[in-house]
Amino acid sequence: MTKPKDISKAIFTAITSVVGKEKVPLHEPLFKGQEWQYLKNCLHSTYVSSVGSYVKEFETALAKFTGADYAIAVSNGTSGLHIALKIAGVTSGDEVLIPSLSFVATANAVSYCFAKPHFMDCYDEHPAIDPEKLDQYLHYETEQRNGKCINKKTQNVIRAIVPMHVFGHPVDMDHLNVIADKYKLVVVEDAAESLGSYYKKKHTGTLSELGVLSFNGNKIITTGGGGAILTNNKTFAERAKHLTTTAKIPHKWDYIHDEIGYNYRMPNLNAALGCAQLKQIDFFIKSKRKLYKIYKSKLEHIKEISLMAETSGNRSNYWLQTIILSEEVKDQFDKILKLTNNVGIGTRPIWKPLHKLPPYINCPKMDLSRVESLSKRIIN
Ligand SMILES: *Cc1c(COP(=O)(O)O)cnc(C)c1O
């Protein structure tokens, strides 16, 4: 066998031709709209916290933008996932199917429900859950009992599945929804990275019963910290609002909380920032898509790698530009990360697979051989 050629220098040259050799972080928010004005207005109003008009305004704008009937603003994407899973019926002792290649928040939110994440493998060359492998697995490893999906090995109920639109690229929701239906699983979309991404013309996070967005500082728009739950179900929406606002019964002066709620609401100050940011989303997405095209033109001559691209019929926000190394050059992974980071270009590997993190080592999982391979070949 011939030794694969060294492509690390070519990749380095291509990247620096796009971003220069200056320090460039993986993410950087941009505040070029009405952020300063809205924040000032918010401070003037003195309503910086749990009450104030920007929260409602942000929720209305989000619902309009995504086409969801309801959007409930929350303190961050993780708390949004926690409450969405709780509303989906995830409860103590359950299992929830999640991709092993995701940010740790997906697994943590499952744990906050006293449930266990159950890790799924990805496609050969794409980090999202492979629906066919999933179907096969559930066919052999589960049985239906009283309309519930039971893990034959653990005897636990597998209650839900959380597809994640990774790096902004919509996953095959039609296929996943068919499987979820077949095995009686509730679907909660982790759309934390995919505001502005569409699966067959429908906004990600609105293709199942509940979806969750994040507005962390690194996401396509930011509220500092923040998130939102999307749903078309009025009961779910009311329940999400109630649970995230300490389960307080509205009353002029009395403090009546009818269950254990959470202080997960988005402060008005953060919502003010969100209102200003959301107005610029078309520009942000246009810029991200342009950046993809530039990278593509600079990198396409390197045949040993591919760039993650939107699939036909779908539209990606291209939140993070992503290189996938082919098997033959996978040994150059660290070298590429080193070359770029040494000059301050903040390239990053994909997350460490969740089933390898200390708190999740003993969780149920399917064969994860593709995750094992792909996790050592993806660079943002
Ligand atoms: C950002 C993100 C979240 C939520 O993160 P927060 O920081 O809590 O807003 C959840 N899942 C994924 C995949 C993410 O990228």
Side-chain angles (χ1 to χ4, degrees), residues 30-186:
L30 196 64
F31 303 117
K32 295 232 164 149
Q34 289 157 293
E35 287 88 351
W36 296 89
Q37 191 54 51
Y38 287 8
L39 285 170
K40 243 183 178 169
N41 295 349
C42 188
L43 291 173
H44 269 300
S45 78
T46 77
Y47 289 105
V48 293
S49 189
S50 50
V51 184
S53 61
Y54 280 116
V55 175
K56 187 77 225 147
E57 190 180 323
F58 187 48
E59 289 177 335
T60 305
L62 276 175
K64 183 155 182 258
F65 180 79
T66 59
D69 286 349
Y70 307 95
I72 298 90
V74 292
S75 52
N76 53 57
T78 313
S79 59
L81 279 170
H82 175 196
I83 296 306
L85 288 167
K86 201 172 157 67
I87 292 171
V90 175
T91 183
S92 173
D94 286 351
E95 292 175 16
V96 176
L97 307 176
I98 70 169
S100 176
L101 285 176
S102 184
F103 179 52
V104 70
T106 320
N108 286 346
V110 172
S111 307
Y112 300 161
C113 296
F114 307 102
K116 269 204 163 63
H118 187 150
F119 299 112
M120 298 292 107
D121 205 10
C122 59
Y123 295 93
D124 277 323
E125 298 294 317
H126 190 295
I129 296 176
D130 175 357
E132 264 164 37
K133 189 162 178 178
L134 169 72
D135 194 2
Q136 282 278 321
Y137 179 74
L138 295 177
H139 177 77
Y140 289 109
E141 298 295 328
T142 70
E143 63 191 18
Q144 291 291 311
R145 225 181 280 154
N146 307 321
K148 285 178 191 142
C149 183
I150 308 292
N151 179 339
K152 288 201 271 192
K153 235 179 238 144
T154 61
Q155 293 297 308
N156 294 327
V157 175
I158 303 178
R159 189 78 61 180
I161 178 164
V162 186
M164 195 271 279
H165 303 288
V166 55
F167 307 140
H169 297 290
V171 305
D172 188 353
M173 285 305 295
D174 281 353
H175 201 160
L176 288 168
N177 277 331
V178 166
I179 293 167
D181 216 41
K182 179 169 159 190
Y183 295 96
K184 306 282 174 268
L185 305 169
V186 188

